[in-house]
Amino acid sequence: MGNPSFLVRYMLSQGINYYAMRKIMLCLSVLYSSSLAALACTGISLTAADGSYVQARTVEAAAGELDSRYVVIPRGEKFTAYTPVGATGLKFEARYGVVGLTVVNVHFVTEGINEKGLSAGLFFFPHYGGYVEYDPRYADTTIGDLQVVEWLLATCATIEDVKQAMREVRVVALEQSSVVHWRIGEPSGRQVVMEIVGGRVCFYENTVGVLTNSPGFKWHLTNLNNYVNLFPGSAPSQMLGEQELQPIGGNSGFLGLPGDATPPSRFVRAAFYRATAPQLATGEATVMQCFHLLNNFDIPIGIEHPRGDSPNIPSATQWTVATDLKARRIYYKTMYNNSIRCIDLSTIDFDRVKYESFPLDKDKVQPVEYIKVF
């Protein structure tokens, strides 16, 4: 990993003690691990018959446990953005209330939604993205990549707002190995992917409704053409010379669907699962459908490490989240507790609530219901 100098300087300036700093540094070493397979997030989206629109995704890190929390941001909260040398960048104030799920640092919102129904999330994008270099002369319009979701949700109501806002800032890497791209959606069902390549911000309309990691989004769309032969259901029997070939089991139409955990394979698999999912009646039913679909992308901890060299955590898939943009509700479950929890933004008074952050799990244990048989 790179030397996380920006957080070292910031934490020292804030008087954060050695043990707290050591914990954050350990989390950063997980986040910026050279084992890029560990950063394996998968995103899907579905629309319900009642017009509800749901964006869902997994968050992975296989090198160790992320310090994940949920945050509540009130209107009027003031921020100073991180740059590679500390909290010295863009100053902004929250126009809209936000609920977000974070990793490592409470300002690194990885997935969230604001009270207008705008949703945004970041996905790691190594080797293919590239920002402008940090220049202290432009510090007052500079923001670190991992804080972009917090800033956009706090200040933008629509995708068009996002596009305008991105013209006015310089996004920089907090670490050289830190490169991400973003998924942004509206309650209407419109979704875009935002990528920064060679310092240039690009937006792509995401009609396929899926996002993973590298390579770039357009490459993934092209790659789908390699699977033009796949279809739901069973393949018909056919003759191979004089030998009759018959399907061995159900879903033979998907023979050839890649099953590994690389970003291209997960993109293809997610695209076909999403495209063949039946439309359900309500947003709540669609949220549960998204969790079922994303269960197929849970990554067991053992597959991404040499034998006997894996950390003591239940899964590389640390949490899964589904957001109903129309209802303004964010649901999540974790590797420790598969019970689904929900935060309903309509119940929060963003003029009165204080800035808050809490661990995703109060207790890191899976509740088990024991059934008595009489």
Side-chain angles (χ1 to χ4, degrees):
M1 63 172 280
N3 175 25
S5 57
F6 82 98
L7 271 183
V8 172
R9 293 191 181 101
Y10 176 67
M11 289 187 289
L12 289 175
S13 71
Q14 298 299 306
I16 297 176
N17 68 48
Y18 167 80
Y19 295 101
M21 182 164 60
R22 190 169 181 271
K23 181 179 179 183
I24 295 176
M25 298 294 289
L26 180 62
C27 289
L28 274 176
S29 71
V30 171
L31 198 62
Y32 297 124
S33 168
S34 60
S35 176
L36 296 176
L39 308 171
C41 304
T42 302
I44 62 173
S45 58
L46 291 171
T47 301
D50 68 359
S52 298
Y53 176 58
V54 178
Q55 291 189 167
R57 56 90 58 87
T58 64
V59 169
E60 275 84 11
E65 184 177 347
L66 296 172
D67 182 14
S68 297
R69 306 176 71 87
Y70 70 83
V71 296
V72 179
I73 301 173
R75 300 186 199 108
E77 188 74 10
K78 293 180 172 59
F79 299 90
T80 301
Y82 287 127
T83 73
V85 295
T88 58
L90 175 75
K91 296 183 184 299
F92 61 96
E93 181 176 331
R95 298 189 191 102
Y96 310 109
V98 176
V99 172
L101 276 57
T102 71
V103 297
V104 176
N105 180 299
V106 293
H107 297 293
F108 297 168
V109 176
T110 305
E111 188 72 24
I113 183 173
N114 69 18
E115 60 184 305
K116 294 296 184 180
L118 186 73
S119 179
L122 66 83
F123 293 67
F124 275 84
F125 187 42
H127 300 316
Y128 290 86
Y131 316 126
V132 296
E133 293 293 324
Y134 174 64
D135 186 333
R137 293 177 300 172
Y138 304 107
D140 60 350
T141 57
T142 297
I143 185 168
D145 54 352
L146 300 181
Q147 203 175 354
V148 166
V149 172
E150 177 184 67
W151 166 63
L152 290 178
L153 293 179
T155 59
C156 298
T158 66
I159 289 172
E160 294 307 314
D161 287 350
V162 169
K163 289 184 175 183
Q164 178 58 42
M166 289 300 298
R167 297 186 184 104
E168 300 168 2
V169 299
R170 295 167 58 90
V171 175
V172 298
L174 294 181
E175 294 300 323
Q176 291 305 309
S177 56
S178 163
V179 184
V180 302
H181 57 179
W182 296 264
R183 176 184 69 173
I184 303 156
E186 295 178 345
S188 65
R190 183 186 178 193
Q191 182 187 132
V192 297
V193 173
M194 181 174 76
E195 295 180 345
I196 303 178
V197 179
R200 179 171 172 264
V201 181
C202 302
F203 289 91
Y204 304 102
E205 297 291 329
N206 188 0
T207 56
V208 76
V210 169
L211 188 61
T212 57
N213 312 103
S214 300
F217 180 66
K218 291 182 70 176
W219 183 95
H220 284 293
L221 295 183
T222 301
N223 186 50
L224 287 176
N225 292 302
N226 287 319
Y227 301 90
V228 68
N229 58 302
L230 300 186
F231 57 91
S234 295
S237 59
Q238 59 176 304
M239 299 301 296
L240 181 64
E242 296 182 2
Q243 175 69 36
E244 184 179 11
L245 305 180
Q246 294 182 341
I248 294 175
N251 192 223
S252 54
F254 269 16
L255 274 172
L257 188 73
D260 60 85
T262 62
S265 293
R266 287 183 287 106
F267 191 101
V268 172
R269 202 157 66 251
F272 277 91
Y273 287 165
R274 175 192 179 275
T276 56
Q279 187 178 58
L280 301 185
T282 66
E284 188 170 44
T286 302
V287 164
M288 300 306 151
Q289 183 182 35
C290 285
F291 279 114
H292 283 300
L293 290 173
L294 288 176
N295 284 340
N296 291 280
F297 298 88
D298 275 359
I299 297 178
I301 196 66
I303 69 171
E304 298 191 340
H305 299 272
R307 190 181 299 276
D309 188 31
S310 56
N312 185 27
I313 57 175
S315 175
T317 304
Q318 303 214 359
W319 43 273
T320 304
V321 58
T323 306
D324 185 333
L325 279 66
K326 183 178 178 182
R328 277 59 161 179
R329 293 175 181 166
I330 187 165
Y331 302 74
Y332 72 89
K333 65 177 184 176
T334 73
M335 62 178 174
Y336 289 108
N337 184 349
N338 275 273
S339 302
I340 296 171
R341 286 145 279 178
C342 176
I343 304 171
D344 186 342
L345 274 69
S346 69
T347 66
I348 302 171
D349 185 342
F350 287 106
D351 283 326
R352 296 174 63 101
V353 71
K354 302 297 183 183
Y355 183 97
E356 300 175 342
S357 78
F358 299 96
L360 294 189
D361 292 303
K362 291 181 180 178
D363 299 301
K364 295 177 179 179
V365 61
Q366 175 63 53
V368 176
E369 180 182 359
Y370 289 89
I371 300 173
K372 292 184 178 180
V373 179
F374 298 95

